[in-house]
Amino acid sequence: MNIRFSEEDERFRKEIAEWLADNLTGEFAVVKGRGGPGDEHALFEERHAWEKKMGADGWVGIAFPKEHGGRDLPLNQQVIFYEEYARAKGPGRVGHIGEGLLAPTIIHFGTAEQKKRFLPGIVSGETIWCQGYSEPNAGSDLANCQTRAELVGGEWVINGQKVWTSGAAWSDWCFVVCRTDQEAQPKHRGLSYILVPMKQDGVEIRPIEQITGDSEFSEVFFNDAKAAEEDVVGGVNGGWKVAMGTLAFERGASTLGQQMLFNNELETIIEIARKNGKAKDPVYRQRIADAWIGLRLQRYNALRMLSGAEGAEPGRESMITKLFWATWHRDLGKLAMDVMGADAEVMDGAPYDLNMLQRMYLFTRSDTIYAGSNQIQRNIISERALGMPREPRPA
Ligand SMILES: Cc1cc2nc3c(=O)[nH]c(=O)nc-3n(C[C@H](O)[C@H](O)[C@H](O)COP(=O)(O)OP(=O)(O)OC[C@H]3O[C@@H](n4cnc5c(N)ncnc54)[C@H](O)[C@@H]3O)c2cc1C
């Protein structure tokens, strides 16, 4: 692994740090530090304006090739970008599903026409996307997806239900895994990856109230919803490989930004422990030290993976990433509440005004579920990385 920052990298660090200092002020001061875990619903309009500002100044899609509106930045500079963004307390990105999941998918699997139509809206920060995979009976078992799409009169007509769709309530488009062949065996062969406009009569969104009191995700019902015939990525019935490709892009350099966010949370916890005396308690000192070590391990594992030290394809090491960070972050939530002590049980205001660490704690309960539950991650590690026998599957 060779992650050393050159003089040019350090010049880049200065450039992005200055841009953030100059711009996260004035009308954007309000979004500083907002929109993190459990706070995703906050200040959507203001954070969308911020996303567009980033887009206008060329800070969205920094890793994309220049021909697709990106900066084609090398890995070192992507790392620096995410580090400085989190250090400056840049807000949670409303465009992250478009930028981090859909755009790389279109660049990899899309047609020239799809690239031309969909990438500019993401790079400008204008278009907001959500991910329509999970259904009431298809979560871990995505291949069981039942939402149907049929070609009628030259367009897709979609019927079915998705659930837990993050950001559905404020998204313009959704990439939806649909069944386009009812008979296909095995069942993942009959799926297609269709780009569906959210703002149409055939799409009904019912927000789900979460433990934080907000609704970051929703149920989405498709009742004769329409999509253009050409808006299938990866070809009709070719959706499985595309859907799996999208999941792989979740492991990009932005995981390093996530770690800086975690670092901000850990520092807040340490500050509270210093103030309330828990930092002198050997048990808390040990738990805080363990959290600090866990964060460094995540960083070095991510750098090892991203620097290609294990070869062009992500190696076995990449398979531990989700399980490790999710479990670590869930434990950090518990540590935060324990360090706060009795204060953790008191709201900042009536009726349900949670502070940042309370939100974080409640949201971390979901870390070990979304983007592949811990049990599924363990199956992946045991079967694919360690070559253990496959778990029995239904015929
Ligand atoms: C905060 C949050 C945001 C989300 N955002 C989105 C989104 O934007 N778009 C989207 O499509 N989905 C989203 N999801 C849904 C998420 O992808 C699913 O919750 C997840 O895939 C698990 O599926 P499930 O909830 O149906 O649980 P199930 O798959 O029913 O699993 C239930 C339990 O059984 C275990 N289990 C299942 N299969 C196995 C197995 N083979 N071996 C061992 N154990 C097993 C699981 O680990 C889990 O503990 C989100 C979820 C959360 C919590």
Side-chain angles (χ1 to χ4, degrees):
M1 176 171 66
N2 182 16
I3 290 276
R4 287 208 185 83
F5 297 120
S6 64
E7 273 179 31
E8 194 190 334
D9 292 340
E10 292 305 336
R11 268 197 300 280
F12 174 77
R13 185 186 295 282
K14 199 158 164 274
E15 182 191 343
I16 176 63
E18 281 175 5
W19 184 86
L20 287 162
D22 291 347
N23 289 284
L24 263 177
T25 55
E27 61 171 312
F28 293 122
V30 65
V31 299
K32 220 170 160 174
R34 299 304 305 271
D39 194 37
E40 294 86 351
H41 65 289
L43 303 169
F44 174 76
E45 290 304 330
E46 292 83 348
R47 288 193 292 131
H48 193 194
W50 169 252
E51 189 76 17
K52 286 186 267 190
K53 172 70 186 154
M54 288 186 66
D57 289 3
W59 294 112
V60 178
I62 52 170
F64 302 170
K66 289 195 174 138
E67 59 181 303
H68 300 314
R71 290 191 181 217
D72 209 1
L73 288 186
L75 177 68
N76 284 10
Q77 294 184 9
Q78 294 175 46
V79 171
I80 290 173
F81 171 83
Y82 287 110
E83 285 183 349
E84 292 306 314
Y85 190 85
R87 201 190 314 277
K89 300 211 164 25
R93 300 276 305 281
V94 296
H96 72 103
I97 293 181
E99 184 197 45
L101 299 186
L102 185 72
T105 303
I106 291 203
I107 290 172
H108 194 83
F109 296 100
T111 62
E113 186 56 29
Q114 287 167 345
K115 289 174 190 159
K116 213 159 90 195
R117 275 186 55 221
F118 294 108
L119 295 176
I122 294 173
V123 173
S124 68
E126 202 68 46
T127 316
I128 306 296
W129 285 84
C130 59
Q131 178 179 24
Y133 279 29
S134 305
E135 300 184 2
N137 289 314
S140 306
D141 185 15
L142 179 62
N144 199 36
C145 164
Q146 299 299 321
T147 294
R148 310 162 65 112
E150 288 162 301
L151 260 186
V152 182
E155 62 183 352
W156 292 105
V157 177
I158 300 160
N159 283 286
Q161 183 200 344
K162 296 289 172 180
V163 71
W164 324 123
T165 317
S166 296
W170 51 78
S171 290
D172 304 298
W173 287 80
C174 185
F175 43 99
V176 184
V177 176
C178 297
R179 186 154 296 284
T180 40
D181 181 345
Q182 306 303 318
E183 315 302 330
Q185 284 301 334
K187 50 194 180 177
H188 67 261
R189 292 226 174 104
L191 299 173
S192 299
Y193 190 103
I194 304 182
L195 310 179
V196 183
M198 290 293 276
K199 293 179 180 155
Q200 57 166 309
D201 288 344
V203 176
E204 186 193 341
I205 297 161
R206 296 189 201 160
I208 301 171
E209 187 170 337
Q210 285 162 259
I211 198 170
T212 48
D214 308 306
S215 299
E216 179 261 355
F217 54 37
S218 300
E219 292 179 288
V220 179
F221 294 84
F222 298 99
N223 305 311
D224 286 338
K226 308 287 190 315
E229 180 173 2
E230 64 274 19
D231 289 349
V232 180
V233 184
V236 177
N237 297 329
W240 183 255
K241 69 173 184 312
V242 184
M244 293 303 108
T246 301
L247 294 182
F249 293 125
E250 269 185 314
R251 289 194 299 244
S254 64
T255 53
L256 290 157
Q258 182 193 43
Q259 288 163 24
M260 285 300 286
L261 187 78
F262 292 168
N263 193 50
N264 291 346
E265 292 167 350
L266 180 57
E267 278 180 6
T268 309
I269 295 169
I270 294 173
E271 208 179 295
I272 295 172
R274 285 214 171 95
K275 279 196 190 130
N276 70 12
K278 293 234 167 80
K280 291 194 186 126
D281 179 319
V283 174
Y284 281 98
R285 290 166 74 85
Q286 197 162 328
R287 284 177 68 189
I288 289 170
D290 279 345
W292 189 90
I293 292 166
L295 195 51
R296 262 71 203 160
L297 290 177
Q298 287 173 67
R299 180 173 165 77
Y300 292 123
N301 193 55
L303 291 175
R304 176 171 64 170
M305 188 177 85
L306 292 166
S307 64
E310 315 300 335
E313 291 296 312
R316 302 198 304 178
E317 292 70 16
S318 69
M319 294 182 195
I320 65 174
T321 307
K322 169 69 198 347
L323 178 65
F324 195 96
W325 77 249
T327 311
W328 178 91
H329 198 223
R330 189 187 57 189
D331 291 346
L332 190 76
K334 283 195 258 176
L335 177 64
M337 294 301 98
D338 291 344
V339 166
M340 284 175 74
D343 285 354
E345 295 179 29
V346 181
M347 304 282 168
D348 271 7
Y352 201 66
D353 187 7
L354 301 167
N355 66 36
M356 187 270 270
L357 288 183
Q358 288 167 329
R359 285 184 181 285
M360 184 274 269
Y361 165 68
L362 293 174
F363 195 82
T364 56
R365 309 311 297 169
S366 69
D367 284 336
T368 52
I369 301 172
Y370 70 86
S373 70
N374 271 16
Q375 289 79 4
I376 295 299
Q377 298 304 322
R378 287 196 177 94
N379 280 350
I380 291 173
I381 293 169
S382 60
E383 292 176 12
R384 293 193 213 153
L386 304 178
M388 289 163 72
R390 278 166 68 88
E391 67 157 344
R393 281 161 171 85

